[in-house]
Amino acid sequence: MPAKTPVSPELQALILCGPGVSFNTFTSTPEDFPKALIPIANRPMIWYPLDWCHRANISRITLITPTSSCKAIEDALSRNPHLTSLPLPRADVLAPSSLSQNTGTAEILRLPEVQSVITGHFLILPCDLLCDLPGECFLETWMTYAAGMVGSSAAPGGLGVWFPTKHELAVKGEETNLLITAQLPHPTVPSSSESLRPDLSQVVYSSTTDTLNDITESRNSFPIRRGLLRKHGKIRMLTTTRDAHIYLFPYWILDFINQNPRFDSISEDVVGWWAKATWQDGLVPKLGLNHILNPSSQVKDTSEPDQIHNDVETDIDISSLSTTHISSLLTPPSTPLSVASPTNSTEFAKPKTIVPPFLSYLHRSPSSPSQQTILRRVDTTPLLLSLSIHLASLPADSLSPLATNQKIHPTTTIAPRTSISPTDVLIGANTTVNQFANIKNSVVGSNCVIGQGVKLMRCVIMDDVEIGEKCVLTGCVVGWRSKVGKGCRLGEGCEVAPGYAVEDGVEGMAEVLGGFEGLDEDAISGEEDGMEEVEDGGNES
């Protein structure tokens, strides 16, 4: 049995509201505009994972955020109409004092304030999740195949979600992960057409593509351990998938993270080392899993996991499988057994630690755009633009829970002789569109003013923005409370920072106007040092 027994049987969700480094044009002042409040199709980013949790009947939700963003998020939860319309109870906001913008995801789960709110098995979500698949499908899959896969008396396993990056909504340069999986045993009873079972597999290795590139560059190949091939004769290596950062974790994972203080990343460290421990027996004591999963085993090997010999082998004594036989391999004939003698207590056969599997669900690429189901992360400006426009194009009567019922808000003022595409444009409340404006395939926020003769094509315009007369914007993202002067022509890839005023007549292509300059050298150096420490412990497969 696991060392940790859940206090509460109710599954709870933790949503990590990170700093949004890849959105630095729009999140340079997190106390005013944190990443979690960036609008996606005129809804705050955090609305999407919150709605997903409520649709899955998860009511215990905690948002974890740095203190700098806490007040802005709390204000939005109590005032933003999209967030106040969500079912009760309202999500809690937790801002640990030691949580900074550079704290690793595994380190977050090690914080005392976070551990105090976790009382049972839990779900981890990113604040930038966009998913219209029913959450209960993931929960039922975890309970069926991971929580009880190795027997009801054994520790439950985990489940993670990955998705392909090569499809209709793909953007150039999107982050990818290395995922190596092994096939699960075929079920006795065929699964239903709605089941996620055909897309389940066991994770045996998980890492970032950067780590993969570093290994292949230094060794001119990617080595595969013989122990992995002995345990799983057939494996699948995927390099164009991405970790959705949706994790269903058992309660005992907190002990696992606490006993391994070098773990910094959930994806690469927690999941990666857990997956390797399922087929590399020598890792079990090194990671303390024998103590966590078998409380009777109290000694943890204190050497580092990467010090294990490449070819750790275990002698198998078939007779030891009997419940009435004591293995001769474990007890030398010349040494008498004595229950009272502490020196001989280690000579009894100890049960083998069974490491429960960590399963992966790999979302399928649709065979056609009409069958597109959304499972994405929105953590870069190109993804924000692409997915906002995709959501705007969903029909108002679509079965997708992410579709918007009213594409143009009733309070919008639209002057005569304008051209607004009725199928792929969203316009927020109290916005004014002046005559001769032409808007296609775009999202316009609330309280905006679109000047006379303006042309918008594939743009995202956030709230409280003024676009001057005769501007032409194509493929742009314009931040909150900014102003674009008359006659500007901004092309693909342009970003306008919140509160920035673009002068009249400016022309640009793939430029950041008024954006954040970047991190200082100390912050960058500290982040790189942390990454090197992780890589030192996780390069071996």
Side-chain angles (χ1 to χ4, degrees):
M1 292 293 291
K4 267 188 176 292
T5 302
V7 177
S8 170
E10 182 182 7
L11 189 72
Q12 60 188 118
L14 305 179
I15 302 179
L16 306 185
C17 301
V21 175
S22 56
F23 280 119
N24 53 26
T25 301
F26 308 104
T27 59
S28 58
T29 55
E31 62 277 5
D32 297 321
F33 303 117
K35 173 186 174 181
L37 300 183
I38 290 177
I40 304 175
N42 282 345
R43 291 170 174 147
M45 180 182 287
I46 194 62
W47 180 89
Y48 293 92
L50 286 173
D51 174 70
W52 189 84
C53 288
H54 285 297
R55 285 190 279 118
N57 295 316
I58 299 175
S59 57
R60 290 189 61 200
I61 306 171
T62 303
L63 309 182
I64 301 177
T65 179
T67 54
S68 58
S69 306
C70 181
K71 186 178 185 304
I73 293 177
E74 287 181 333
D75 288 346
L77 288 173
S78 60
R79 297 179 184 178
N80 185 281
H82 294 288
L83 298 178
T84 56
S85 65
L86 291 171
L88 295 174
R90 198 180 77 175
D92 297 321
V93 181
L94 178 65
S97 57
S98 57
L99 177 59
S100 70
Q101 303 286 354
N102 297 319
T103 304
T105 50
E107 181 64 26
I108 291 175
L109 296 182
R110 204 177 288 119
L111 297 176
E113 299 96 324
V114 175
Q115 296 210 349
S116 66
V117 303
I118 301 176
T119 58
H121 306 318
F122 60 99
L123 175 71
I124 294 285
L125 298 171
C127 69
D128 54 27
L129 175 68
L130 209 61
C131 181
D132 61 2
L133 293 176
E136 56 268 24
C137 292
F138 296 106
L139 305 185
E140 291 171 1
T141 299
W142 174 71
M143 289 187 289
T144 303
Y145 298 105
M149 188 170 180
V150 293
S152 58
S153 62
L159 174 66
V161 179
W162 280 257
F163 59 86
T165 57
K166 304 296 184 182
H167 53 76
E168 294 290 333
L169 297 178
V171 299
K172 186 177 181 180
E174 184 174 1
E175 178 183 335
T176 58
N177 298 92
L178 169 64
L179 177 67
I180 304 179
T181 63
Q183 192 176 31
L184 295 177
H186 291 289
T188 305
V189 179
S191 55
S192 66
S193 59
E194 298 180 354
S195 172
L196 303 183
R197 174 62 180 81
D199 301 303
L200 285 183
S201 54
Q202 180 177 343
V203 180
V204 296
Y205 190 89
S206 174
S207 183
T208 63
T209 305
D210 289 340
T211 299
L212 170 64
N213 293 337
D214 291 342
I215 295 175
T216 54
E217 182 179 347
S218 62
R219 303 187 181 187
N220 295 321
S221 64
F222 184 77
I224 300 294
R225 287 184 184 270
R226 286 175 289 175
L228 172 58
L229 297 179
R230 282 193 294 267
K231 183 68 177 289
H232 303 284
K234 182 179 180 180
I235 59 175
R236 184 185 184 193
M237 181 180 292
L238 304 169
T239 58
T240 60
T241 61
R242 187 171 184 197
D243 189 346
H245 284 213
I246 302 175
Y247 307 109
L248 275 158
F249 278 138
Y251 192 43
W252 62 262
I253 201 68
L254 296 180
D255 279 342
F256 183 50
I257 294 173
N258 288 336
Q259 291 205 27
N260 294 278
R262 293 186 65 188
F263 287 179
D264 182 71
S265 162
I266 291 178
S267 176
E268 188 168 9
D269 297 327
V270 178
V271 174
W273 286 109
W274 178 357
K276 284 189 279 189
T278 60
W279 53 267
Q280 195 171 347
D281 292 338
L283 275 178
V284 173
K286 302 292 181 181
L287 298 172
L289 285 169
N290 56 333
H291 168 59
I292 297 170
L293 301 175
N294 292 327
S296 59
S297 176
Q298 298 295 325
V299 180
K300 177 188 175 184
D301 192 332
T302 57
S303 59
E304 295 297 338
D306 54 356
Q307 294 175 357
I308 298 177
H309 192 273
N310 289 351
D311 297 313
V312 174
E313 298 287 348
T314 302
D315 290 330
I316 301 176
D317 179 20
I318 301 299
S319 64
S320 66
L321 300 177
S322 169
T323 57
T324 59
H325 179 77
I326 297 178
S327 171
S328 60
L329 292 180
L330 297 173
T331 306
S334 60
T335 306
L337 293 175
S338 173
V339 175
S341 173
T343 60
N344 293 329
S345 61
T346 59
E347 295 171 359
F348 286 102
K350 293 182 180 180
K352 177 180 174 64
T353 300
I354 299 177
V355 179
F358 190 89
L359 304 184
S360 67
Y361 165 71
L362 179 59
H363 186 56
R364 295 185 185 182
S365 295
S367 56
S368 67
S370 61
Q371 298 176 342
Q372 179 75 56
T373 54
I374 304 174
L375 201 169
R376 306 286 291 164
R377 290 192 63 195
V378 189
D379 59 350
T380 64
T381 301
L383 284 169
L384 172 66
L385 179 62
S386 173
L387 290 165
S388 293
I389 291 173
H390 175 75
L391 294 180
S393 66
L394 293 176
D397 58 354
S398 171
L399 296 178
S400 173
L402 307 184
T404 303
N405 294 331
Q406 293 179 321
K407 288 185 174 291
I408 299 179
H409 197 274
T411 60
T412 298
T413 301
I414 301 178
R417 291 180 286 182
T418 59
S419 176
I420 300 176
S421 175
T423 60
D424 54 21
V425 170
L426 295 180
I427 300 180
N430 302 312
T431 287
T432 299
V433 181
N434 288 292
Q435 61 182 352
F436 305 120
N438 188 338
I439 306 176
K440 295 180 180 179
N441 213 18
S442 298
V443 177
V444 180
S446 300
N447 306 309
C448 295
V449 177
I450 308 301
Q452 181 176 328
V454 168
K455 293 183 179 180
L456 302 179
M457 172 65 76
R458 296 190 66 257
C459 291
V460 169
I461 311 298
M462 299 184 189
D463 295 346
D464 303 300
V465 170
E466 181 180 348
I467 307 294
E469 296 179 1
K470 299 182 179 180
C471 286
V472 178
L473 275 63
T474 304
C476 301
V477 179
V478 182
W480 300 273
R481 303 173 187 169
S482 58
K483 180 179 179 180
V484 180
K486 298 178 182 180
C488 292
R489 303 180 69 88
L490 304 180
E492 291 284 346
C494 282
E495 303 173 18
V496 180
Y500 185 73
V502 181
E503 297 180 356
D504 295 350
V506 171
E507 297 186 5
M509 180 74 71
E511 295 183 20
V512 176
L513 304 175
F516 181 49
E517 295 299 330
L519 296 173
D520 58 72
E521 293 183 359
D522 292 339
I524 294 175
S525 175
E527 184 177 354
E528 290 177 348
D529 291 342
M531 291 180 65
E532 289 174 359
E533 182 180 13
V534 173
E535 291 171 358
D536 287 343
N539 280 348
E540 289 290 345
S541 60

